[in-house]
C-alpha cells in the first residue's frame, strides 16, 4: 500500500507574486506533490492554509502517513488548534518533513522547544549540500553532494536541539555553513528538516532535491499502529501492580481519583 | 561568586493539606532551598505562584543562574507570559531543574515538545534510583544507588525526547522502571529532570536526594554570558558577506527589509 | 527479496553442557534462526566458531544483510582478523544484533569503544522488559512489556556509549535495572544490543523474545549499497576542488603523495 | 588546584622537516603547552613518542586530568599497550583532546569504534570555523567564527559516530565543509575532537585556536574520583541481592565462580 503523503503549502506567494507563479505554475506544494508521485510507493496530495481547517481535518490527518510543511509569509495565520492537532498526530506516529522557511512555523517551533532561529541572505549565491551521513536512507541516490546554483543562504547558529542524526551540511559561496538536513524523533513520529528551497529559485525543480524528498517520505513513515494514548497519564492502582505490593504511607489521591499527573 | 538558584514552588498543597504541611513545615520549596544553601557555592532563594509575576520578574530571572521548578496541582494557573519568559531565559543560558510532577508543567512540555506523559501509582512503595552514568557530575557522592523507602511510582513510557544523557534509572517494588534522571540542552540552557519527590513522602528530606539537587545546580549553571540574541533571525546583507559575492536572481525582499524569517 | 540474516553462535555450551543441549536441541543459534525463518521476509542461516573462518568468509559477509552474534565462553577464541572483517562490514552497512553475553564479545567492544562491563547474577529470577520507546519498530507486537520467568540478571552500570535510542529497560526481581535494548549507528551499519537470553533458561523459546529479534532484523537492515570506501582517506587535489583555488603556503606532501592521513 | 594537562606530541616532523622547525621552534606540543599555561587554572607539560613508555607511565597518567594528542606520521609506532592504558584512563575519567591528524591515531579510532576517515587537501586555503553551539563552554571568547588564513582542508564525510554535541562546523575556500569540533563521552571521560592544525601552517599560534584549546581543557576535566572499576563485571551473589530472592532454575556457574561475563 503506498505511503499517504500530504504536502501542505501556505499558498501565499504563489497567489501574490508573479515571479513565484511563473517559476512554480503548479504552486510549490503542487510541484512537490508531483515530484513525490513519481514514486509508485507514494501517493501525495496537497492541502493549503485557505481550505477549511487548513485542509487538515482530524479525519485526513488520521489517514496521513507523512506530512510535508511549507510556510513562510503566513506562519501567524495558522490556527493554534490545527497546530496542536498536527503535533498530536506526530506524537502518535505521523512523519513530518519541514521545508526551508518552515523552520519558523508554529509546528516546528513547538516540536523543537527552541527558537529555531538562523541567519539568512537572499543573494542567489551557490550552495553545496554535502551528504555527511552517506549511508543514511535519506541521502541515497544523490552522490557526495547536491549543487544548487542559486539559493537563499541559511547560516548557523541554527537554534535547534542536537539532532538524532545530521544527514546534510551546506556550504555557501558567501562563506557560511548550515546543518541543512537533520532528523528528530518526538513520540512515535519521525521529523526531518531540510533547508534548501525558496520561492524565487527553482530549487523544488531540482532532481536531486526531489530525490531527497522522496527518500525522506519513505524514512519518515512509521508503519506501527498510531500510539493513540501517548498524551494520557494513567494511574496503575495498587491492586493492579505487576508485583504484589501493600498500600503504605499518606496519599494525596483517594481510590479512583483521576489524579493531577 | 556563588551560583544564584531560585526554587520555584506552586505552594498549594502546603497551604491546603495538613499532612503536607506537617511533613514540610518550611514548605517543599523552602526545604529544597535550605538544602541547597548547605553548599557555600550556592545561594538559593524561593519564588511562588502567588507572588506578583509568580515571583519571576524579568529582573529576577536575568540574575538567576539556575531555576528549580516544583508544580503539581496548579500547572494551569501559571501564566503563559511568565512561561515564555522562563523559556527564553533557558535558551539564553539559565539552567532549569524540573522536579517530579513538574513533568507536566507548561515550561517542561514547551521545552521538550512532547506530551511528557507517564504512568503513576501512589502506594508508598520502595524505589531504588540507580546511578547508571556513574562518572556524571550529578551522580557524585551517592554511591551506586539511592534507596527511597516510600515513593510515588512513575512508570515508563515517559514521553520525552531521547535525552542527552540518562543519569539515573529507577526500580519500583511494584514492578515498573523509570528513567528518573535525564539531561537536555536547549539553546544555551541545560535542563535536568529528576523524578523522585512527592508531597506526602519525606523525599526532599533525604540526604542523597539533596546531594543530587546540589550537584545538579552546579551542573546546570552555564557561566557563559547570556546568549541574548538567540531568538533573532538576522539578515546578512550581500555586501557584508564574509566572502565577496555578487547579487543574482530574483528576490522576495528589497534591501533593508526586515524579512519573513 | 528476503533479508539475508546469519545467526552466529560460538556453539560451546551446546556441545559441552547436557542441560543446555536438552534446553536447545537445535542449539541456540539454530533455535534463533528457526524463529527468524517464521518470517517470510527473512532468510536466516547459521555460522559457528568451529567452521573455517568461523563461517564468516569475505564472500558470505558480503552477502549478509544482518548478522546476529551469540558468544559467551569463547570470546577470546574469535580471531582478530575475522573480527576486523565483521567490523568493516558493519561500517559498510551490514546490520548487527548483539545478544546477551555478546556484550563482552570482541566485535561489540570494538564498535562501542568502551568496556561494555555490567553486573550479573544467575539466580533464575523474574525479569520484566519494558518497552519504553513504544512506537519503535523493534518494540512492535509485544505490548507494554515482556515477562521472563527465569533470567540471568544484568545490572547497571552498563559501560556503553549513550545510545541513539533506548528501546527497552528491564526490571529484576532482585532489585536491579538494565537498559536491555539499545540502538547505535556506526558508519552505515545499524547495531542493536538485546540483553535477554542465557544458556540455561528457555528465553530464546519465548514468543515475545523471538518477535523482538524478527523486528530487529528488519530494523537493522540497510538497503543502501555498501559504503565500500568508508575506510579510505582520499586526497582531493587542488585542481579538482569544487571551487577554483590557488595553491598557497608550505606543504608536507608533494603532488601525488599518498598522504599520511 | 590547577588542571593537570599533558600535551602529547609524536615529535617527528619537528625533528625531520626544517620548515616545521622554523614555524614551531618550541615544537608543536611545546607551543600548545605554552598556550595552555597562559591560563593560571591549567598546568601543562609535554610528553613524546620517543620517551620511555612514550612519556605516559601509569603513574603519570593517573595524575593527568586532560591529555591532548598530536600525531600524524607515526601513528603506527605508538605501542598498543600504551594505547590501551590511555583508553582505560579515559574510561576512568581523564579528558582527551584529539588534534587534527590525530583523527587517525590508534587511541581515537579505538574510542570511536569507526574508521575516522575523511577527505583532505593541502592547498593553504582559507578556513572559517563557525561556532554553531554558541553557548557551549568550548566556544566562549571567540565570537561567531575563527578565520584561519592557510589551512589543510578536512572534508566530510567524517566517519565518526554521531557526537554528543557539534560545537564547530568549518567552511573551506575550495568548497567543502567539516564538523571541526565534536564532543563525546566514553565511560567517565570526555573527548573533544578539534580539526584545525597542521605542521606547515601557523595554526597553533592563532590566538583563537589557543583559546579554544584552553576552553576545551576546562570542559574535558572530570573532577569526580576515577571510576576505577569500570572494566570489571562483578557477580552479585543471590544472597546479596537488594531484594530477597530465592535461587531457581539451572545454572552455568557454581557459587564463587569468577564467571564468563
Amino acid at each position: 500500500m503506498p505511503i499517504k503523503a500530504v504536502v501542505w503549502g501556505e499558498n501565499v506567494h504563489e497567489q501574490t507574486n508573479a515571479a513565484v507563479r511563473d517559476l512554480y505554475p503548479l504552486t510549490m506544494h503542487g510541484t512537490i506533490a508531483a515530484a513525490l508521485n513519481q514514486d509508485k510507493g507514494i501517493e501525495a496530495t496537497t492541502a493549503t492554509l485557505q481550505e477549511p481547517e487548513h485542509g487538515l481535518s482530524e479525519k485526513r490527518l488520521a489517514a496521513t502517513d507523512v506530512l510535508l510543511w511549507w510556510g513562510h509569509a503566513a506562519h501567524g495565520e495558522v490556527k493554534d488548534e490545527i497546530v496542536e492537532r498536527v503535533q498530536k498526530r506526530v506524537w502518535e506516529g505521523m512523519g513530518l518533513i519541514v521545508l526551508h522557511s518552515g523552520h519558523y512555523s508554529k509546528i516546528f517551533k513547538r516540536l523543537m522547544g527552541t527558537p529555531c532561529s538562523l541567519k539568512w541572505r537572499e543573494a542567489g549565491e551557490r550552495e553545496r549540500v554535502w551528504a555527511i551521513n552517506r549511508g543514511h536512507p535519506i541521502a541515497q541516490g544523490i552522490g557526495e553532494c547536491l549543487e544548487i546554483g542559486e539559493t537563499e543562504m541559511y547560516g548557523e547558529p541554527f537554534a535547534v536541539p542536537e539532532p538524532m542524526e545530521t544527514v546534510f551540511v551546506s556550504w555557501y559561496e558567501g562563506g557560511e555553513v548550515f546543518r541543512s538536513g537533520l532528523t528528530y524523533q518526538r513520540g512515535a513520529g519521525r521529523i526531518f528538516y531540510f533547508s534548501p528551497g525558496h520561492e524565487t529559485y527553482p530549487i523544488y525543480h531540482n532532481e536531486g532535491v526531489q530525490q531527497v524528498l522522496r527518500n525522506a517520505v519513505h524514512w519518515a513513515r512509521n508503519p506501527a499502529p498510531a500510539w493513540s494514548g501517548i498524551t494520557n497519564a494513567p494511574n496503575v492502582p495498587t491492586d493492579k501492580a505487576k508485583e504484589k505490593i501493600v498500600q503504605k504511607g499518606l496519599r494525596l489521591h483517594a481510590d479512583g481519583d483521576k489524579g493531577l499527573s
Side-chain angles (χ1 to χ4, degrees), chain A residues 56-94:
Chain A
L56 300 171
S57 65
E58 291 274 6
K59 193 176 159 192
R60 189 167 188 197
L61 281 175
T64 300
D65 294 312
V66 180
L67 180 66
L68 295 93
W69 194 273
W70 168 272
H72 194 178
H75 293 318
E77 293 173 38
V78 181
K79 284 180 212 135
D80 287 340
E81 177 198 343
I82 305 299
V83 176
E84 279 157 31
R85 186 186 288 175
V86 171
Q87 187 176 24
K88 186 158 173 284
R89 267 297 288 150
V90 171
W91 294 340
E92 290 175 357
M94 182 180 72

Side-chain angles (χ1 to χ4, degrees), chain A residues 103-245:
Chain A
H103 74 91
Y104 249 17
S105 62
K106 289 182 177 179
I107 182 62
F108 192 59
K109 291 200 286 185
R110 268 174 189 258
L111 284 162
M112 295 293 103
T114 57
C116 302
S117 50
L118 46 76
K119 292 186 301 186
W120 61 281
R121 177 176 57 236
E122 196 188 14
E125 69 201 270
R126 187 160 54 260
E127 175 179 2
R128 194 170 289 110
V129 184
W130 289 94
I132 70 162
N133 191 331
R134 198 63 60 87
H136 197 281
I138 297 180
Q140 296 314 300
I142 61 158
E144 65 178 4
C145 64
L146 285 176
E147 292 261 357
I148 297 178
E150 296 189 352
T151 202
E152 183 183 29
M153 183 280 287
Y154 269 13
E156 295 281 350
F158 185 22
V160 287
E162 280 291 328
M164 182 159 75
E165 299 159 313
T166 300
V167 181
F168 299 111
V169 173
S170 283
W171 176 100
Y172 293 95
E173 198 182 344
E176 285 89 356
V177 294
F178 196 68
R179 290 169 294 166
S180 41
L182 300 174
T183 70
Y184 294 92
Q185 193 154 353
R186 292 294 180 265
R190 289 174 153 198
I191 300 168
F192 179 59
Y193 175 77
F194 188 58
S195 64
H198 190 58
E199 293 91 336
T200 62
Y201 307 123
I203 293 176
Y204 293 123
H205 295 304
N206 179 303
E207 181 51 39
V209 167
Q210 293 185 355
Q211 184 62 47
V212 167
L213 296 179
R214 284 188 294 263
N215 291 343
V217 166
H218 282 275
W219 173 85
R221 181 218 189 186
N222 187 345
W227 186 351
S228 53
I230 189 172
T231 58
N232 300 339
N235 177 252
V236 182
T238 303
D239 60 356
K240 294 280 167 48
K242 298 280 186 186
E243 302 288 320
K244 185 169 274 188
I245 53 174

Side-chain angles (χ1 to χ4, degrees), chain A residues 17-34:
Chain A
N17 184 311
V20 175
R21 203 159 42 225
D22 286 354
L23 197 53
Y24 291 108
L26 298 178
T27 71
M28 279 188 290
H29 43 286
T31 302
I32 293 168

